[in-house]
């Protein structure tokens, strides 16, 4: 589901496909707005959809919003008191906006509703004017439009028709169904005698489906166009209010049409006998319903095609089926006396293709509209249907009774365990073993020695100064609000926060002195005899209780195991069904996109059919996108095939698929084979015409990534046309990537919040704790061996008093980094963070200012890397390489220091080693020059011309230091001393005469110094460790203080 609209080979066709899919999912028809969302998501369709459609998960408990903060509109409201990120210049209360729904989205949806009718008519008009090559795309690359060998073909989405593609692809990949459709034929007299409109329509649809299946077998195209078959369906389903059809409704209608069409062939030999209908034999089964109502028993047999299952309240497919097969309580023994209601369903005949409809929509009475159910539902690759068959009724009823007894026993044991683990009579309850342990610790504690009041007051003052005024709490428990204390306002906020979320505030609290730790409650007086007696009793009771708890847990585990293995009896594993296809829906109840996962027997792997795209997949990807629970995509229809059908397909497909498809093509009627040949001939003609058109065009240079970005942006409107935004995104994303290990640790600490309160609470907790950690690091006193700014971009921002909006957006972008795809929690937090990030508008953050801050930090890291590399090379006596790095470090650092003393590194340190390196290099060049050997002389002159002279001229400005001026004078004097030396020949003296004017006066000379090779450390830890090692080695030799 990820694409880059212009950078890839598909070009405009791929981009249009993505826009069509977004229209289906979101219901928004504004192409410019959707293109802007797609660009904001870097071409990631799933994330663009998340920006536009994803509603907030469970509504959070009402709590104060974050005030004075750019992110107040984006970050979730925590279920407990949420600290405030202060901004002294902006203390106004932020507007409360639905967490995951931007105002732009709401406006776009209103506009889409008004333009729906116009868009619909425009689409119909456009379809009637299809251009040549439209089917296979506008790219001249054959890979983008020509089928690759025997790879399955995709299906073009001609406007809200992804449901058709998902169902038809699932059916086409059933060999038996494919043969039925391709082999369908009616005698001429039957065709002529069919007079009803319905009958003619069904025959016409079957003929179009035949042609479509034939092309899917033998076409050379990468995807086929189903327009002809769809036009027949549109006449039935056409509705201005329902532009996209429900997949189950369509499948029902499709099977009905096909059943009626095949019934015409059956009627030729067996008039009216539906049991002979191949569609009935393949897709339909029967079940028996037995029940008790008002004391009376009843029984009936019914036919089913697609079996509906409720999803809400169930964890897996077996639980869904169990809930559908048993309703109420059956009590046949007392049926005549009781008025109980209950019924059981038992399958009496299972079809070879068993289809389950998963009911993922329910009507919300309060909103007056349907809603999609996003809860997770697992389903297996192999489903054993024995437990639902009538032939196993007696055994299953026994097992259900046993299951009921085990569950009742489980409830009893869990209640007993709960009384141990939540002991007490008040509102606050604790595990009983822990309470006894606390009492043991209490009686064993010795009374603490009092701390002097002077020392205590001094410690309190120190701690209050250490606390950062970064976070605040806007609502506190009454017990905290009513307390009167001498703490500062910030301290009170921290105490309140720690009482509500202890785990998230540990890093924010001031360090506790050893004296404070020793002041724990202790008995005033306890004798040795009392201590021994109480310890003996408490320890014995605690051991007894722990044993009881352990026994209960083991009993519960044994019962759980028995429940899980209840139906693992080999006698109940005789009727396996293999998962053939999973139809997935993404979106909401009123709009969405469908695709299918289908198991490919010849390749023994899962394939993903998403409109024109057919790609390799895996069971892991299928789980992520089909089980639900993570986002608004989930399985909507499951298609299982019997083990006999699966084995038959596997036996047929032992030969290579290309040969199998070729055999099926050869078995087609002459008309269908001719139809395939004509289409392939047209494809070749289109390709030749396209090549001819391309050869007539003026050759153009390959567009650069920047020009591609500008082309895409220009279609999105003036708001998206700035290349500045791309550079900002690139730099800030780079800084987020650099900090990803630190971000991952912050996310790892949110496991409890994620499990208890959901992904938004986890993001809130991670954001708050990471901010606090970085704030404290920014306030640490620097040492010669440590520069905290190298660890993180936000430490640099905080130390230089960057605007709060810049700080908060940068931190939020960390959690939105795509490189955080470690596990389910990281991916979920990343998705929510990206959704929040997309809602920060120009009115919230000045993007020009945001860009400048990130450019400054990028330059600071570059200066630091150049400095460290230059120092390391200097220590290794590689003076030529070292000088280049040091000179560039100095020049770039000067630009930073113009904005503030803390923007760059120590200027005196760079100048010192630049000077030392220059003097060393001058000695080397002079020694080579006076050696009188031609090769050495040339090398010395080269060093002088390319390094020493340019560096001297860069140093010699109006702000030059006394030390640098003295060093330049020493170097000049060294070369001047060689004038008139008798041991130097005339040729060498002539070269010296050419060098000295440039050495002594370079005011008119253009300074050219080649930039050194770029060096990128692997991580902040790598850079910091290099910094510490280099500074440690030079600290003794340098009196310069490294800040």
């Amino acid at each position: 589901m990820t694409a880059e609209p212009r950078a890839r080979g598909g070009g405009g066709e791929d981009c249009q496909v993505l826009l069509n899919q977004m229209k289906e999912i979101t219901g928004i028809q504004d192409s410019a707005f959707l293109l802007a969302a797609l660009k904001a998501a870097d071409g990631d369709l799933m994330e663009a959809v998340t920006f536009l459609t994803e509603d907030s998960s469970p509504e959070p408990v009402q709590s104060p919003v974050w005030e004075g903060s750019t992110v107040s509109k984006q970050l979730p409201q925590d279920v407990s008191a949420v600290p405030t990120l202060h901004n002294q210049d902006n203390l106004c209360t932020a507007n409360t906006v639905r967490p995951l729904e931007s105002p732009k989205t709401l406006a776009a949806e209103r506009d889409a509703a008004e333009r729906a009718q116009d868009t619909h008519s425009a689409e119909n008009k456009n379809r009637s004017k299809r251009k040549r090559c439209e089917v296979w795309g506008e790219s001249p690359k054959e890979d983008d439009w020509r089928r690759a060998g025997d790879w399955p073909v995709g299906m073009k989405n001609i406007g809200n028709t992804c449901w058709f593609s998902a169902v038809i692809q699932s059916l086409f990949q059933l060999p038996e169904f494919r043969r039925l459709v391709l082999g369908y034929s009616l005698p001429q007299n039957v065709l002529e005698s069919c007079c009803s409109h319905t009958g003619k329509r069904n025959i016409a649809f079957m003929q179009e489906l035949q042609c479509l299946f034939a092309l899917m077998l033998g076409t050379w195209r990468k995807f086929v166009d189903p327009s002809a078959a769809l036009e027949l369906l549109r006449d039935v389903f056409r509705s201005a209010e329902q532009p996209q059809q429900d997949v189950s409704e369509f499948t029902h209608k499709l099977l009905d049409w096909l059943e009626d069409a095949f019934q015409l062939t059956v009627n030729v030999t067996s008039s009216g006998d539906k049991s002979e209908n191949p569609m009935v034999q393949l897709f339909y089964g029967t079940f028996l319903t037995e029940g008790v109502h008002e004391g009376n028993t009843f029984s009936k047999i019914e036919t089913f095609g697609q079996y509906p299952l409720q999803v809400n309240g169930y964890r897996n497919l077996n639980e869904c089926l169990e809930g559908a097969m048993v309703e109420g309580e059956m009590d046949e023994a007392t049926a005549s006396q009781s008025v109980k209601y209950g019924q059981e369903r038992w399958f009496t005949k299972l079809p070879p293709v068993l289809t389950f409809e998963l009911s993922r929509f329910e009507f919300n009475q309060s909103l007056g509209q349907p809603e999609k159910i996003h809860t997770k539902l697992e389903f297996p690759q192999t489903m054993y249907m024995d437990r639902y068959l009538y032939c196993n009724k007696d055994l299953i009823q026994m097992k259900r009774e046993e299951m009921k007894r085990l569950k009742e026993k489980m409830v009893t044991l869990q209640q007993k365990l709960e009384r141990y683990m939540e002991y007490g009579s008040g509102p606050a309850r604790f595990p009983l073993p822990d309470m006894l342990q606390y009492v043991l610790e209490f009686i064993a504690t010795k009374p603490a020695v009092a701390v002097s009041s002077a020392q205590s007051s001094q410690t309190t003052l120190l701690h209050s100064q250490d606390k950062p005024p970064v976070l605040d709490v806007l609502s506190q428990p009454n017990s905290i609000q009513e307390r009167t204390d001498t703490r500062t306002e910030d301290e009170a906020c921290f105490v309140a926060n720690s009482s509500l979320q202890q785990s998230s505030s540990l890093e924010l609290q001031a360090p506790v002195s050893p004296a404070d730790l020793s002041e724990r409650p202790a008995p005033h007086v306890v004798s040795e005899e009392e201590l021994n007696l109480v310890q003996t009793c408490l320890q014995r009771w605690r051991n007894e209780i722990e044993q009881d708890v352990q026994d209960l847990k083991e009993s519960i585990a044994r019962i759980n195991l028995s429940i899980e293995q209840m139906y693992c009896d080999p006698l109940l594993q005789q009727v396996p069904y293999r998962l053939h296809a999973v139809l997935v829906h993404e979106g909401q109840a009123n709009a969405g996109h469908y695709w299918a996962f289908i198991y490919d027997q010849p390749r023994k792997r899962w394939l993903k059919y998403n409109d024109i795209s057919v790609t390799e997949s895996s069971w892991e990807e299928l789980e992520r996108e089909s089980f639900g629970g993570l986002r608004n995509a989930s399985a909507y229809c499951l298609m299982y095939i019997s083990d006999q059908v699966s084995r038959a397909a596997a036996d047929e497909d032992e030969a290579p698929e290309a040969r199998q498809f070729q055999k099926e093509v050869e078995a087609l009627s002459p008309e269908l084979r001719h139809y395939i040949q004509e289409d392939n001939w047209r494809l070749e003609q289109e390709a030749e015409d396209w090549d001819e058109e391309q050869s007539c065009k003026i050759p153009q240079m390959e567009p650069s990534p920047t020009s591609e970005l500008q082309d895409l942006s220009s279609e999105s409107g003036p708001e998206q046309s700035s290349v500045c935004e791309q550079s900002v995104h690139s730099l800030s994303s780079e800084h987020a990537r650099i900090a990803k290990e630190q971000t991952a640790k912050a996310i790892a600490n949110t496991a409890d919040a994620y499990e208890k309160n959901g992904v938004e609470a986890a993001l809130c907790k991670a954001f708050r704790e990471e901010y606090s950690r970085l704030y404290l690091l920014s306030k640490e006193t620097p040492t010669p061996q440590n520069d905290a700014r190298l660890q993180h971009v936000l430490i640099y921002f905080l130390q230089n008093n960057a605007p709060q909006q810049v700080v908060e957006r940068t931190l939020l972008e960390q959690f939105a980094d795509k490189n955080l795809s470690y596990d389910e929690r990281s991916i979920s937090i990343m998705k929510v963070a990206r959704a929040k990030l997309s809602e920060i508008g120009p009115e919230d953050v000045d993007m020009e200012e945001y860009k400048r801050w990130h450019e400054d930090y990028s330059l600071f890291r570059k200066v630091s890397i150049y400095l460290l590399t230059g120092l390391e090379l200097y220590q290794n006596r590689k003076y030529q390489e070292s000088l280049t790095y040091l000179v560039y470090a100095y020049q770039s650092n000067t630009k930073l220091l113009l904005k503030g003393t803390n923007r760059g590194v120590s200027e005196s340190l760079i100048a010192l080693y630049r000077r030392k390196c220059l003097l060393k290099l001058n000695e080397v060049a002079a020694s080579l020059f006076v050696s009188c050997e031609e090769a050495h002389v040339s090398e010395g002159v080269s060093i002088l011309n390319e390094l020493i002279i340019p560096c001297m001229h860069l140093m010699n400005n109006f702000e030059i230091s006394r030390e640098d001026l003295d060093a330049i004078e020493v170097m000049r004097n060294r070369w001047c001393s060689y004038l008139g030396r008798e041991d130097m020949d005339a040729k060498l003296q002539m070269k010296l005469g050419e060098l000295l004017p440039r050495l002594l006066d370079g005011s008119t000379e253009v300074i050219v110094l080649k930039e050194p090779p770029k060096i990128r450390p692997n991580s902040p830890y790598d850079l910091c460790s290099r910094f510490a090692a280099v500074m440690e080695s030079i600290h003794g030799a340098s009196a310069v203080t490294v800040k």
Side-chain angles (χ1 to χ4, degrees):
M1 297 285 288
T2 302
E4 298 173 10
R6 289 193 179 269
R8 296 190 179 177
E13 180 73 15
D14 287 347
C15 187
Q16 188 59 46
V17 169
L18 292 175
L19 291 178
N20 289 341
Q21 293 180 356
M22 290 176 69
K23 289 177 182 179
E24 293 166 357
I25 297 171
T26 64
I28 300 172
Q29 301 300 317
D30 189 336
S31 297
F33 179 69
L34 294 176
L35 190 61
L38 187 62
K39 177 178 177 292
D42 295 331
D44 191 318
L45 178 60
M46 302 295 287
E47 294 186 12
V49 169
T50 301
F51 295 161
L52 297 172
T53 65
E54 191 173 37
D55 294 327
S56 56
S57 318
E59 287 294 328
V61 178
Q62 290 297 324
S63 62
V65 297
W66 293 24
E67 295 184 345
S69 168
T70 304
V71 194
S72 62
K73 302 176 185 177
Q74 287 74 42
L75 285 178
Q77 298 179 17
D78 201 354
V79 293
S80 58
V82 180
T84 299
L85 301 185
H86 284 291
N87 181 2
Q88 299 299 330
D89 298 327
N90 180 15
L91 296 178
C92 59
T93 305
N95 293 328
T96 303
V97 180
R98 282 183 289 175
L100 293 178
E101 208 167 350
S102 69
K104 292 181 180 178
T105 303
L106 299 176
E109 290 175 348
R110 287 196 299 271
D111 294 342
E114 295 171 0
R115 293 193 298 266
Q117 188 62 40
D118 295 338
T119 304
H120 182 69
S121 61
E123 286 177 352
N124 290 337
K125 183 178 180 181
N126 291 335
R127 277 197 297 272
S128 64
K129 298 181 180 180
R130 292 174 56 205
K131 299 178 182 179
R132 178 175 50 79
C133 302
E134 182 184 359
V135 175
W136 49 271
E138 299 296 334
S139 173
K141 297 180 181 178
E142 290 195 10
D143 291 344
D144 296 325
W145 51 265
R146 190 181 287 276
R147 185 177 185 177
D150 60 349
W151 193 253
V153 298
M155 194 170 296
K156 186 175 182 180
N157 187 333
I158 58 175
N160 295 336
T161 60
C162 52
W163 42 271
F164 183 86
S165 173
V167 176
I168 291 299
Q169 291 279 21
S170 302
L171 295 173
F172 175 81
Q173 296 301 328
L174 291 169
E176 181 61 29
F177 180 79
R178 188 167 66 239
R179 280 195 297 270
L180 285 173
V181 172
L182 292 172
Y184 180 82
S185 65
L186 284 173
Q188 188 63 32
N189 63 328
V190 175
L191 290 173
E192 294 174 353
S193 63
C194 184
C195 300
S196 68
H197 172 72
T198 302
K200 290 180 178 179
R201 180 204 61 201
N202 293 343
I203 293 173
F205 178 75
M206 178 59 76
Q207 290 172 342
E208 291 296 345
L209 193 61
Q210 267 190 330
C211 293
L212 183 63
F213 273 27
L215 285 182
M216 294 170 74
L217 271 180
T219 187
W220 294 342
R221 301 180 189 270
K222 194 172 185 178
F223 52 89
V224 295
D225 188 340
S227 300
L230 273 165
E231 282 304 316
L232 294 171
L233 286 171
R234 285 184 185 277
D235 292 337
V236 177
F237 285 104
R238 196 182 304 278
S239 170
E241 298 177 355
Q242 190 180 6
Q244 177 156 11
Q245 301 308 319
D246 181 281
V247 68
S248 63
E249 182 184 359
F250 163 70
T251 311
H252 278 299
K253 185 66 66 176
L254 174 66
L255 293 179
D256 288 344
W257 286 17
L258 294 175
E259 181 186 345
D260 293 342
F262 277 103
Q263 190 62 39
L264 293 175
T265 64
V266 174
N267 291 341
V268 174
T269 56
S270 305
S271 180
D273 187 2
K274 284 200 170 188
S275 64
E276 297 297 321
N277 191 314
M279 292 298 299
V280 173
Q281 294 174 347
L282 191 61
F283 292 101
Y284 289 85
T286 59
F287 63 86
L288 171 68
T289 302
E290 296 180 333
V292 179
H293 181 64
E294 298 292 338
N296 300 316
T297 60
F298 63 89
S299 175
K300 59 181 178 180
I301 292 182
E302 299 177 66
T303 301
F304 71 93
Q306 293 174 278
Y307 200 85
L309 293 174
Q310 294 295 323
V311 170
N312 221 0
Y314 300 108
R315 296 174 302 170
N316 55 57
L317 186 59
N318 273 311
E319 287 187 5
C320 290
L321 267 170
E322 192 72 24
M325 305 304 276
V326 181
E327 295 181 17
E329 294 186 8
M330 295 288 291
D331 193 355
E332 295 181 0
T334 58
S336 57
Q337 299 88 7
S338 68
V339 289
K340 292 182 179 180
Y341 168 78
Q343 68 176 24
E344 291 179 343
R345 294 187 180 92
W346 302 94
F347 290 119
T348 54
K349 177 191 172 187
L350 290 172
V353 180
L354 180 59
T355 305
F356 295 114
E357 290 180 16
L358 303 182
S359 180
R360 282 197 170 271
F361 295 134
E362 63 181 4
F363 192 80
N364 188 316
Q365 296 289 347
S366 60
L367 297 177
Q369 63 182 22
E371 282 186 334
K372 186 176 178 184
I373 302 169
H374 295 294
T375 54
K376 183 177 182 180
L377 183 82
E378 298 179 355
F379 46 85
Q381 295 192 65
T382 300
M383 183 80 175
Y384 293 99
M385 297 300 296
D386 307 73
R387 60 189 280 191
Y388 309 108
L389 295 178
Y390 183 75
C391 60
N392 296 322
K393 173 182 174 181
D394 295 337
L395 176 60
I396 298 305
Q397 284 182 335
M398 290 172 52
K399 288 188 174 292
R400 285 176 179 167
E401 286 297 322
E402 176 67 12
M403 181 78 78
K404 181 180 177 182
R405 186 187 65 80
L406 288 174
K407 288 183 177 179
E408 290 173 351
K409 186 175 181 181
M410 170 83 77
V411 171
T412 303
L413 292 175
Q414 287 175 336
Q415 290 173 348
K416 288 183 179 179
L417 181 62
E418 186 177 347
R419 286 194 283 269
Y420 280 107
M421 304 312 292
E422 296 183 11
Y423 187 82
S425 57
R429 305 190 176 209
F430 304 94
L432 184 54
D434 292 350
M435 295 177 69
L436 295 176
Q437 178 63 31
Y438 299 154
V439 177
L440 277 169
E441 293 173 1
F442 169 75
I443 63 173
T445 303
K446 302 295 183 183
V449 179
V451 182
S452 67
S453 59
Q455 181 182 353
S456 176
S457 61
Q458 183 179 359
T459 304
T460 302
L461 178 60
L462 177 61
H463 292 172
S464 65
Q465 292 174 347
D466 287 343
K467 292 178 181 291
V470 181
L471 304 177
D472 200 358
V473 176
L474 298 180
S475 67
Q476 303 172 359
N478 294 334
S479 60
I480 297 178
Q481 289 180 347
E482 294 170 2
R483 288 177 53 186
T484 58
D485 204 337
T486 58
R487 292 184 177 88
T488 65
E489 181 181 351
D490 284 339
E491 285 183 290
C493 293
F494 274 108
V495 172
N497 190 41
S498 64
S499 68
L500 295 173
Q501 296 189 5
Q502 295 178 2
S503 62
S504 66
S505 62
L506 290 177
E507 294 186 35
L508 306 184
Q509 296 176 354
V512 182
S513 66
D516 293 334
L517 289 173
S518 65
E519 292 181 355
R520 299 171 58 184
H524 288 251
V525 178
V526 58
S527 66
E528 194 68 30
E529 183 180 356
E530 291 173 332
L531 180 62
N532 291 336
L533 176 62
V534 175
Q535 282 183 329
T536 302
C537 293
L538 288 176
Q539 190 61 54
R540 185 179 74 249
W541 296 338
R542 185 170 182 270
N543 292 339
E544 292 172 355
I545 290 169
E546 285 182 340
Q547 186 60 48
D548 291 345
V549 169
Q550 183 64 29
D551 293 344
L552 285 171
K553 289 182 177 179
E554 291 176 357
S555 299
I556 291 173
R558 284 195 297 270
I559 293 176
N560 265 327
L561 185 61
S562 299
I563 291 174
E564 291 173 1
Q565 298 179 347
M566 182 62 68
Y567 295 102
C568 293
D569 190 333
L571 295 175
L572 298 178
Q573 295 181 344
Q574 303 301 309
V575 188
Y577 270 72
R578 314 292 178 185
L579 186 61
H580 164 69
V582 179
L583 277 65
V584 182
H585 174 267
E586 180 188 30
Q588 304 302 325
N590 58 348
H593 177 61
Y594 292 98
W595 64 90
F597 290 97
I598 304 173
Y599 187 74
D600 190 284
Q601 281 284 1
R603 295 177 175 84
K604 304 300 180 187
R605 68 188 61 177
W606 287 95
L607 300 183
K608 183 177 181 179
Y609 292 77
N610 189 0
D611 288 339
I612 66 171
S613 170
V614 182
T615 56
E616 286 190 7
S617 185
S618 63
W619 177 251
E620 291 71 26
E621 182 183 6
L622 188 152
E623 283 183 333
R624 287 194 304 271
E625 298 190 5
S626 304
F627 281 7
L630 289 179
R631 59 171 194 265
N632 56 359
S634 53
Y636 193 65
C637 185
L638 305 176
M639 195 176 289
Y640 283 85
I641 56 177
S642 65
D643 199 39
Q644 289 83 358
V645 173
S646 178
R647 282 201 298 267
D651 293 340
E652 288 183 2
D653 293 329
E654 285 182 357
E657 187 173 14
R659 189 188 306 171
Q660 176 63 29
F661 274 11
Q662 186 60 35
K663 288 171 59 179
E664 292 191 45
V665 171
E666 292 171 357
L668 295 176
S669 65
E671 294 81 9
L672 288 177
R673 289 203 305 272
H674 181 67
Y675 180 75
I676 296 173
Q677 291 169 358
E678 278 192 342
D679 185 76
N680 288 337
W681 178 83
R682 282 195 300 271
L683 176 66
E684 293 302 318
Q685 288 298 115
E686 290 170 2
E688 290 176 9
D689 294 346
W690 176 264
D691 290 339
E692 185 177 344
E693 285 183 10
Q694 293 301 304
S695 64
C696 295
K697 292 182 178 179
I698 300 174
Q700 296 181 355
M701 294 180 62
E702 285 292 323
S704 66
T706 304
S707 65
E708 291 171 358
L709 172 68
Q710 290 172 336
D711 290 343
L712 180 61
S713 301
S714 63
E715 295 178 15
S716 308
E719 293 181 358
Q720 305 295 331
S721 63
S722 174
V723 182
C724 164
E725 291 186 11
Q726 175 67 13
S727 62
V728 171
H729 177 75
S730 176
L731 278 178
S732 57
S733 297
E734 173 70 12
H735 296 157
R737 185 193 63 77
I738 291 172
K740 71 173 184 177
E741 294 180 16
Q742 301 174 61
T743 310
K745 288 182 180 179
I747 292 176
N749 294 333
T750 64
D752 291 338
Y754 180 85
E755 295 295 332
K756 294 178 181 177
N757 302 319
V759 60
E760 294 197 5
L763 173 60
C764 180
K765 182 175 185 290
F767 185 96
R768 183 176 55 251
E769 292 187 355
E770 185 68 354
Y771 186 103
S772 303
R773 181 183 73 85
L774 296 172
Y775 182 90
L776 293 177
L777 284 174
S778 71
K779 298 302 179 184
E780 289 183 356
T781 303
T783 64
Q785 289 78 29
N786 175 43
D787 189 343
R789 295 173 299 174
L790 296 174
Q791 297 182 31
H792 202 285
V793 59
L794 286 187
I795 298 178
Y796 181 85
F797 286 1
L798 291 168
Q799 287 190 1
N800 288 285
N801 301 315
Q804 194 69 18
Q805 293 89 342
V806 172
V807 172
E808 292 170 4
R809 180 188 170 93
T810 301
L811 182 55
L812 184 60
E813 196 160 348
Q814 271 188 219
F815 294 97
D817 183 22
K818 289 183 179 180
N819 295 296
L820 295 175
S821 305
Y822 297 117
D823 54 19
E824 177 182 319
R825 182 169 69 250
S826 300
I827 295 172
S828 300
I829 289 178
M830 177 193 71
K831 295 286 186 182
V832 173
R834 290 180 73 84
K836 308 299 180 191
L837 197 63
S838 68
E839 296 181 15
I840 300 179
E843 68 277 8
D844 299 317
V845 177
D846 183 347
M847 294 308 293
E848 284 293 334
E849 183 180 40
Y850 187 78
K851 173 189 173 184
R852 288 194 295 271
W853 276 99
H854 279 278
E855 287 175 343
D856 284 355
Y857 184 69
S858 181
L859 186 59
F860 166 77
R861 281 180 59 85
K862 181 179 179 180
V863 168
S864 301
I865 293 168
Y866 279 5
L867 171 60
L868 293 179
T869 306
L871 293 176
E872 289 167 346
L873 291 169
Y874 177 83
Q875 291 175 330
N876 292 324
R877 299 183 179 180
K878 297 180 178 179
Y879 303 121
Q880 293 187 50
E881 298 89 340
S882 173
L883 181 62
T884 308
Y885 281 105
L886 292 173
V887 168
Y888 266 87
Y890 188 93
Q891 297 300 118
S892 300
N893 192 56
T894 302
K895 300 176 184 177
L896 289 174
L897 294 179
L898 292 175
K899 300 180 180 181
T901 56
N902 211 30
R903 290 290 186 101
V905 301
S906 170
E907 187 176 51
S908 57
L909 178 66
I910 307 177
L912 171 65
Y913 281 89
R914 180 186 62 175
R915 189 165 56 248
K916 285 185 173 185
C917 191
L918 197 56
L919 290 170
K920 292 280 188 184
L921 202 54
N922 191 67
E923 291 177 8
V924 171
S927 300
L928 290 170
F929 186 81
V930 299
S931 67
C932 298
E933 295 182 17
E934 186 173 349
H936 289 170
V937 170
S938 297
E939 185 180 355
V941 171
S942 176
I943 293 174
L944 193 66
N945 282 327
E946 295 177 12
L947 289 173
I948 297 175
I949 292 177
C951 183
M952 288 171 59
H953 293 163
L954 285 172
M955 294 168 58
N956 196 12
N957 55 41
F958 66 94
E959 292 181 349
I960 187 171
S961 66
R962 169 53 54 185
E963 293 82 2
D964 284 344
L965 198 57
D966 291 342
I968 291 175
E969 204 60 32
V970 168
M971 291 186 287
R972 287 173 173 170
N973 290 338
R974 175 72 176 264
W975 289 95
C976 289
S977 67
Y978 296 146
L979 283 172
R981 280 183 53 167
E982 296 179 356
D983 57 342
M984 294 177 65
D985 60 19
K987 189 177 180 179
L988 211 56
Q989 285 288 332
M990 187 180 298
K991 282 192 175 183
L992 183 60
E994 295 171 355
L995 289 173
L996 284 178
R998 294 185 59 227
L999 187 67
L1000 299 175
D1001 182 17
S1003 58
T1004 60
E1005 187 162 330
V1006 178
I1007 303 170
V1008 178
L1009 192 65
K1010 186 171 66 175
E1011 186 170 357
K1014 291 182 172 58
I1015 298 177
R1016 300 172 64 88
N1018 296 327
S1019 68
Y1021 303 108
D1022 175 37
L1023 191 55
C1024 291
S1025 61
R1026 285 177 60 195
F1027 184 92
V1030 170
M1031 295 305 164
E1032 184 70 30
S1033 64
I1034 69 172
H1035 187 57
S1038 172
V1040 178
T1041 302
V1042 182
K1043 296 182 181 179

